[in-house]
Amino acid sequence: MLGSFSSSHEEEEDPSDLQYQIPQPSRSFSPPAIQMRQLLISCAELVSQSDFSAARRLLSILSSNSSPFGDSTERLVHQFSTALSLRLSRYATPATSSGAMSASANTAAADSEAFHSTYLSLNQITPFIRFSQLTANQAILEAIEGQRAIHILDFDIMHGVQWPPLMQAIAERCGNLHPPPMIRITGTGEDLGILQRTGDRLLKFAQSLGLKFQFHPLLLRNDPTSVPLYLPSALQLLPDETLAVNCVLYLHRLLRDDSRDLRLFLHKIKAMEPKVVTIAEREANHNHPLFLQRFVEALDHYTAVFDSLEATLPPTSRERLAVERIWFGREIVDIVSAEGDNRRERHERFESWEVMLRSSGFSNVPLSPFALSQAKLLLRLHYPSEGYRLQIINDSFFLGWQNQALFSVSSWH
């Protein structure tokens, strides 16, 4: 069984080392969640109608009834109010919008390190990424059965925490076979230093298992339209290798107002003839061209996310605060406040990915019963809340909270 790996976390800084104290949650009366939801939607309607004065008045009410330290509703309202306020500052006063965008870019650059560190907390306190990675790993493990040379192309490898469990599973399957299989990982990212440190950790872990291993960093500019141009010229593909392509929470970054770049990317991946392509994405439509519809969809999605955090972590959890503020808060700001090429979080539902993948020549590979049992075991052992729901639809897995599907994982060939 593919297990979990945590030793690489020891070298990372503690993302919860915030520079302020977390106050105890307020016990005073706050409006019901359904009322706050309607106020947020009303404010978004005013913004979409360019009634900025009325929107500001409503934002003042929302801000006074929200807090990053309160219950899940107060925290959610705080993040969406912040995003709406930023949208107002960008579009209500065009003369200063460029300055606001520049300030936002500077803030994003300053928070880059915190963003990467928070990823490790996200991986620990929520099951979403671990579920996606574990299920993808099982699909890869089954696809490369018996192969002696394996090449994994991982788009946006981050800290590489997905791969030690797969290496361990490969080592256990090989037993005393000599020579052991050769594993090469090409990991993409935007920070060469992070890529190199990730490669060093993975190499040490592979050596501890007796596996032959190579890591190749592939630096991609922070420009999704340039990504297809790198493929396959920037990759070293050997004829005797079995190729697996991993896209966990990545494909949505290639979407723009048209799907040209994504389709070019998929066609180039298909031309590499990978044995398996694993895909995990959020189950939400945050790519709608109409702001108000995108806002409501995001509100429903992140309400479920924040409710799941409320049910599994105490309000004083520093990890929870960091994840809500730095990770999910950043996503909400992007979905709500950004437009055009500045907007990156363009999530689509599984049905849309299915259409695009099939039109690019891919066929869905059913995820195995063993992958299902692993996903169930992960939830039971590490995230025992009864609110998480696992579904199988069209041979793909969906993880959600209560009745809201939040993430999908699928395998393609």
Side-chain angles (χ1 to χ4, degrees):
M1 183 182 75
L2 292 169
S4 60
F5 177 76
S6 59
S7 61
S8 64
H9 297 183
E10 297 172 0
E11 300 180 24
E12 303 296 331
E13 294 181 2
D14 183 0
S16 63
D17 187 18
L18 305 176
Q19 300 301 313
Y20 47 83
Q21 295 295 319
I22 302 176
Q24 293 298 317
S26 170
R27 296 184 181 276
S28 61
F29 172 78
S30 60
I34 190 170
Q35 179 182 348
M36 298 306 295
R37 180 182 187 277
Q38 188 54 54
L39 286 176
L40 280 170
I41 294 174
S42 297
C43 186
E45 287 176 339
L46 292 170
V47 172
S48 67
Q49 296 164 3
S50 299
D51 191 346
F52 301 129
S53 296
R56 287 192 182 94
R57 290 194 294 271
L58 196 49
L59 261 180
S60 178
I61 297 173
L62 287 164
S63 297
S64 65
N65 286 279
S66 67
S67 167
F69 312 108
D71 62 22
S72 62
T73 297
E74 292 172 312
R75 293 174 182 231
L76 182 81
V77 173
H78 173 78
Q79 298 298 340
F80 273 87
S81 297
T82 299
L84 283 169
S85 178
L86 185 55
R87 186 179 180 92
L88 276 174
S89 71
R90 289 177 175 175
Y91 300 105
T93 52
T96 60
S97 63
S98 61
M101 293 292 285
S102 176
S104 175
N106 292 335
T107 300
D111 287 346
S112 177
E113 186 174 348
F115 177 75
H116 279 270
S117 296
T118 303
Y119 172 84
L120 299 176
S121 285
L122 179 71
N123 211 30
Q124 290 297 313
I125 68 177
T126 72
F128 305 124
I129 292 182
R130 291 179 74 180
F131 156 78
S132 302
Q133 294 176 342
L134 186 74
T135 305
N137 278 1
Q138 185 60 37
I140 293 172
L141 186 65
E142 293 169 6
I144 62 174
E145 177 72 31
Q147 303 299 310
R148 306 302 302 172
I150 303 154
H151 187 178
I152 298 171
L153 172 55
D154 184 14
F155 284 94
D156 198 19
I157 193 170
M158 296 291 282
H159 297 281
V161 296
Q162 177 171 350
W163 303 118
L166 181 66
M167 293 182 193
Q168 194 161 8
I170 292 173
E172 291 172 355
R173 285 196 172 193
C174 293
N176 296 321
L177 292 179
H178 291 286
M182 177 66 195
I183 302 173
R184 288 204 305 137
I185 294 180
T186 297
T188 79
E190 299 171 3
D191 186 310
L192 185 58
I194 291 177
L195 288 174
Q196 289 173 337
R197 290 193 295 273
T198 295
D200 290 342
R201 285 195 300 270
L202 292 176
L203 176 60
K204 290 178 182 177
F205 188 78
Q207 290 173 338
S208 72
L209 298 173
L211 294 174
K212 294 189 295 182
F213 178 81
Q214 291 180 5
F215 180 82
H216 301 282
L218 178 57
L219 193 63
L220 298 182
R221 297 199 306 267
N222 188 13
D223 177 12
T225 62
S226 70
V227 172
L229 302 179
Y230 283 86
L231 303 174
S233 59
L235 298 174
Q236 181 186 11
L237 299 175
L238 303 179
D240 60 336
E241 289 180 325
T242 298
L243 176 65
V245 177
N246 187 64
C247 298
V248 171
L249 307 183
Y250 181 78
L251 286 186
H252 68 274
R253 300 185 191 179
L254 302 180
L255 284 171
R256 283 296 178 261
D257 292 331
D258 61 56
S259 58
R260 179 180 55 194
D261 293 321
L262 175 63
R263 292 186 185 280
L264 177 59
F265 174 84
L266 291 176
H267 281 298
K268 289 199 171 187
I269 292 296
K270 181 63 177 176
M272 297 178 193
E273 300 182 347
K275 184 72 172 179
V276 64
V277 178
T278 48
I279 293 173
E281 284 291 340
R282 287 167 183 79
E283 184 62 8
N285 181 9
H286 298 152
N287 196 33
H288 200 281
L290 296 180
F291 163 69
L292 187 58
Q293 188 158 341
R294 188 169 76 241
F295 182 90
V296 173
E297 181 85 13
L299 187 57
D300 290 340
H301 179 84
Y302 289 100
T303 293
V305 171
F306 276 56
D307 284 348
S308 72
L309 291 169
E310 172 98 327
T312 54
L313 290 163
T316 54
S317 166
R318 292 180 178 274
E319 291 79 10
R320 175 184 171 187
L321 175 64
V323 165
E324 290 172 339
R325 180 174 65 88
I326 298 174
W327 189 275
F328 293 123
R330 183 170 174 163
E331 291 179 358
I332 292 168
V333 163
D334 184 89
I335 295 167
V336 172
S337 71
E339 287 293 351
D341 289 341
N342 293 313
R343 185 158 56 85
R344 297 186 67 185
E345 301 297 335
R346 295 171 173 265
H347 310 134
E348 294 271 10
R349 293 191 181 277
F350 176 77
E351 291 87 347
S352 297
W353 297 119
E354 187 177 30
V355 170
M356 284 184 274
L357 286 157
R358 292 191 186 281
S359 66
S360 299
F362 289 94
S363 300
N364 189 219
V365 178
L367 294 167
S368 69
F370 189 68
L372 177 62
S373 66
Q374 280 199 128
K376 289 180 176 178
L377 183 62
L378 172 73
L379 295 177
R380 186 166 67 250
L381 293 181
H382 298 284
Y383 311 96
S385 175
E386 296 180 356
Y388 290 112
R389 298 286 185 269
L390 186 60
Q391 291 181 294
I392 305 175
I393 304 173
N394 294 342
D395 296 320
S396 303
F397 291 177
F398 294 79
L399 178 62
W401 178 258
Q402 304 294 2
N403 296 321
Q404 178 90 17
L406 297 175
F407 287 78
S408 68
V409 183
S410 56
S411 177
W412 301 82
H413 175 68

